[in-house]
C-alpha cells in the first residue's frame, strides 16, 4: 500500500477534529462567515524488519493542507455553505519528470440548508461509509491501511460527484438521531480501479449525552462494465459498516466492522477482483490533561474468494499500532507511531507489493 496515503488521510482528521476551534476567521458579519484553516506537517517514516535492530530511513511525507469554508444566510432559515480543501506535497521535486501528481483538491462542495429540513450539497466530499469508519479514523493510528478509508473508491473515503442530504435530530423531532442519504453519479476518465457507475448510500447515527455514539452506513453501486467479465456476481459493488465510540472522562474507545463485495483496493491488480472484504478496527486512547495521548489500535483486513488467484482467503492488512501524541497547545502537536505488521508474505502479497515490514512514523503538526 502506498505509504504516502497514510498521512494524507491523517492530517485532515486532525483538522476535522480541531479546525473549528483554530480556524482563522476572515469575515464574520450577521452570521455570514468565511474561515481559513490549514496545517504544515513535517514528518518522516522509518522501516524496521521483524526482530531486527536495524532501522532504515524510508520516506519523507512532508505536506501542507489549506482550506476555506464559508456560510451565507439567505433568509432567516435558509443558508448556503461551501468548502474547498487543497493539499500539496513538499517532498516532490519542483520539476516532475514523470508527471506524478503532487498537489490535489481534496474537498470541494457547496450546498443549502433550511432549518430542521436538513442540508443538501454536491461536489467532492466524503463517501457515506466514512460516517461509520471515521470513529476509528482517530489520529494518527489505525487509518494507514484500512480499505474503508481509501479515496476515489465508490462511497468510501473522499470521492467526486457526490450528492449528499443530511438531517440532524430527524427534522428536530428526535434529539440525538441523525440520518444521511447519498447519491453518486458515474465517474469516468479514470483508471479501471477508480471508475464506478451510479449508486446510492445511507447512514444512521445515534449520539447520547454520555459520550456514546453508534453509526451504521451502507451503499450499493454498479461496477463499470467490462467485456472480459462473464460472472454476474461481479457486476455490483455493495458495502456496509458499523461503528461505535465512547468518548468521555478522558477515554476514547472505538470499534468498526466493515464488509464489502467487489470493493477492490486501488493497489490490487485491475484483473483481480475481491468478491468479499471484511475489516475489523479498534482503538483505545487515554487523554492526560498534560496534553499527552497514548493509544493502542488494531486493524485486520481480509479478502475472500479472489478472482485471478488460487487463494480463498488473503490478508490485505493486519497490524498493531503503538502510538503517542503530545499537544503543546491548540496549534502545535507532535506524534510518534510504531506499526507492528502482522502480515505474512505470500505470492499474492508479493505480486501486489503489499508491505510486510514494520513502520516507525514521527512528525510535527502546525495547524490553524
Amino acid at each position: 500500500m502506498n505509504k504516502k496515503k497514510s498521512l494524507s488521510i491523517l492530517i485532515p482528521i486532525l483538522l476535522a477534529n480541531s479546525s473549528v476551534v483554530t480556524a482563522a476567521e476572515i469575515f464574520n458579519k450577521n452570521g455570514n462567515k468565511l474561515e481559513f484553516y490549514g496545517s504544515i506537517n513535517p514528518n518522516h517514516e522509518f522501516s524496521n524488519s521483524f526482530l531486527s535492530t536495524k532501522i532504515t530511513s524510508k520516506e519523507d511525507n512532508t505536506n501542507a493542507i489549506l482550506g476555506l469554508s464559508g456560510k451565507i444566510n439567505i433568509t432567516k432559515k435558509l443558508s448556503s455553505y461551501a468548502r474547498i480543501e487543497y493539499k500539496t506535497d513538499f517532498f516532490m521535486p519542483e520539476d516532475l519528470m514523470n508527471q506524478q501528481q503532487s498537489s490535489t483538491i481534496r474537498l470541494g462542495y457547496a450546498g443549502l440548508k433550511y432549518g430542521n429540513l436538513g442540508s443538501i450539497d454536491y461536489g467532492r466530499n466524503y463517501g457515506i461509509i466514512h460516517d461509520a469508519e471515521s470513529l476509528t479514523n482517530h489520529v494518527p493510528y489505525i487509518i494507514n491501511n484500512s480499505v474503508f478509508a481509501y479515496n476515489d473508491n465508490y462511497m468510501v473515503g473522499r470521492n467526486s460527484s457526490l450528492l449528499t442530504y443530511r438531517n440532524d435530530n430527524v427534522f428536530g423531532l428526535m434529539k440525538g438521531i441523525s440520518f444521511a442519504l447519498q447519491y453518486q453519479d458515474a465517474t469516468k476518465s479514470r483508471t479501471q480501479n477508480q471508475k464506478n457507475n451510479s449508486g446510492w448510500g445511507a447512514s444512521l447515527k445515534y449520539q447520547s449525552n454520555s459520550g456514546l455514539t453508534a453509526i451504521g452506513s451502507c451503499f450499493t453501486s454498479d461496477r463499470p462494465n467490462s467485456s472480459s467479465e462473464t460472472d454476474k456476481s461481479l457486476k455490483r459493488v455493495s458495502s456496509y459498516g458499523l461503528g461505535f465510540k465512547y468518548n468521555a472522562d478522558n477515554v476514547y474507545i472505538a470499534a468498526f466492522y466493515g464488509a464489502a463485495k467487489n470493493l477492490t483496493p486501488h493497489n490490487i491488480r485491475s484483473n483481480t477482483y475481491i468478491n468479499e472484504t471484511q475489516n475489523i478496527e479498534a482503538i483505545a486512547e487515554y487523554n492526560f490533561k498534560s496534553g499527552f495521548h497514548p493509544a493502542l489500535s488494531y486493524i485486520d483486513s481480509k479478502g475472500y474468494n479472489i478472482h485471478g488467484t488460487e487463494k480463498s482467503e488473503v490478508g490485505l492488512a493486519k497490524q498493531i499500532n503503538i502510538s503517542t501524541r503530545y499537544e503543546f497547545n491548540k496549534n502545535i502537536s507532535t506524534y510518534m507511531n510504531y506499526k507492528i505488521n502482522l502480515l505474512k508474505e505470500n505470492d499474492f502479497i508479493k505480486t501486489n507489493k503489499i508491505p510486510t515490514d514494520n513502520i516507525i512514523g514521527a512528525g510535527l503538526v502546525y495547524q490553524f
Side-chain angles (χ1 to χ4, degrees):
M1 180 169 294
N2 191 343
K3 294 297 176 187
K4 295 173 185 175
K5 292 183 179 181
S6 62
L7 284 153
S8 69
I9 301 173
L10 155 64
I11 301 304
I13 297 168
L14 278 169
L15 293 172
N17 286 344
S18 57
S19 63
V20 174
V21 176
T22 60
E25 196 171 73
I26 299 175
F27 177 83
N28 186 351
K29 185 176 181 180
N30 299 326
N32 300 315
K33 295 182 180 181
L34 180 62
E35 294 181 327
F36 177 61
Y37 65 90
S39 67
I40 301 173
N41 321 295
N43 55 80
H44 201 90
E45 289 183 345
F46 301 86
S47 177
N48 171 243
S49 299
F50 183 65
L51 296 180
S52 173
T53 58
K54 183 179 179 180
I55 298 177
T56 305
S57 178
K58 192 172 180 66
E59 286 184 328
D60 176 5
N61 291 313
T62 301
N63 62 78
I65 291 174
L66 300 174
L68 278 173
S69 63
K71 174 189 174 185
I72 297 176
N73 293 322
I74 302 173
T75 66
K76 187 175 181 180
K77 289 188 176 182
L78 179 64
S79 62
S80 65
Y81 59 92
R83 182 177 179 184
I84 185 169
E85 191 172 282
Y86 173 86
K87 171 180 174 286
T88 186
D89 295 321
F90 290 169
F91 54 86
M92 301 298 295
E94 292 187 30
D95 297 318
L96 296 177
M97 303 300 291
N98 59 358
Q99 299 302 306
Q100 184 175 353
Q101 189 175 12
S102 61
S103 300
T104 56
I105 298 296
R106 300 162 42 82
L107 296 171
Y109 60 86
L112 296 169
K113 182 176 181 180
Y114 187 87
N116 289 329
L117 293 181
S119 65
I120 187 167
D121 54 65
Y122 180 79
R124 181 169 180 82
N125 205 339
Y126 283 98
I128 204 73
I129 292 294
H130 178 77
D131 288 8
E133 204 269 341
S134 64
L135 300 185
T136 51
N137 244 341
H138 197 63
V139 295
Y141 316 121
I142 201 170
I143 56 181
N144 298 18
N145 300 109
S146 175
V147 173
F148 290 86
Y150 265 45
N151 300 315
D152 299 292
N153 196 12
Y154 296 90
M155 281 176 265
V156 301
R158 295 183 300 275
N159 210 335
S160 304
S161 305
L162 291 172
L163 179 67
T164 308
Y165 170 78
R166 294 190 179 276
N167 189 298
D168 295 331
N169 300 321
V170 190
F171 303 100
L173 302 175
M174 303 177 67
K175 187 177 180 180
I177 298 179
S178 306
F179 70 92
L181 302 173
Q182 191 169 73
Y183 170 78
Q184 183 178 35
D185 197 10
T187 54
K188 303 176 182 178
S189 302
R190 297 181 174 186
T191 61
Q192 184 62 33
N193 280 4
Q194 291 184 316
K195 293 180 180 179
N196 62 267
N197 282 336
S198 59
W200 290 90
S203 73
L204 182 65
K205 175 182 177 180
Y206 170 74
Q207 186 172 11
S208 71
N209 294 328
S210 62
L212 289 172
T213 300
I215 304 177
S217 304
C218 65
F219 81 84
T220 181
S221 179
D222 289 330
R223 219 162 53 82
N225 294 328
S226 174
S227 58
S228 62
E229 291 174 15
T230 57
D231 190 345
K232 292 183 178 180
S233 65
L234 295 175
K235 298 292 184 181
R236 198 155 192 84
V237 176
S238 60
S239 176
Y240 70 89
L242 301 172
F244 302 91
K245 177 184 76 172
Y246 175 78
N247 185 15
D249 302 321
N250 300 318
V251 174
Y252 187 101
I253 301 174
F256 170 79
Y257 174 79
K261 291 186 179 296
N262 304 325
L263 187 69
T264 304
H266 298 167
N267 62 328
I268 303 301
R269 294 178 305 165
S270 59
N271 62 339
T272 301
Y273 297 108
I274 301 178
N275 283 150
E276 187 175 348
T277 307
Q278 291 185 1
N279 257 47
I280 297 175
E281 304 174 13
I283 180 171
E285 179 187 79
Y286 188 79
N287 176 17
F288 289 95
K289 293 182 179 180
S290 62
F292 183 56
H293 300 254
L296 184 67
S297 63
Y298 173 78
I299 180 173
D300 187 3
S301 180
K302 295 180 180 179
Y304 299 91
N305 302 320
I306 299 178
H307 282 239
T309 74
E310 297 180 356
K311 294 182 177 294
S312 58
E313 176 185 325
V314 297
L316 301 174
K318 190 174 185 180
Q319 65 193 54
I320 296 173
N321 290 278
I322 303 172
S323 313
T324 184
R325 174 166 52 98
Y326 181 76
E327 296 178 347
F328 295 96
N329 53 44
K330 66 180 182 180
N331 297 106
I332 302 175
S333 62
T334 186
Y335 65 89
M336 178 174 288
N337 179 64
Y338 183 55
K339 181 182 77 174
I340 303 173
N341 202 327
L342 303 177
L343 277 182
K344 295 182 179 180
E345 195 169 83
N346 53 45
D347 292 339
F348 179 85
I349 287 176
K350 288 182 180 178
T351 300
N352 292 284
K353 299 180 180 179
I354 300 175
T356 58
D357 52 343
N358 300 334
I359 299 294
I360 302 171
L364 181 72
V365 179
Y366 173 75
Q367 58 186 2
F368 57 92

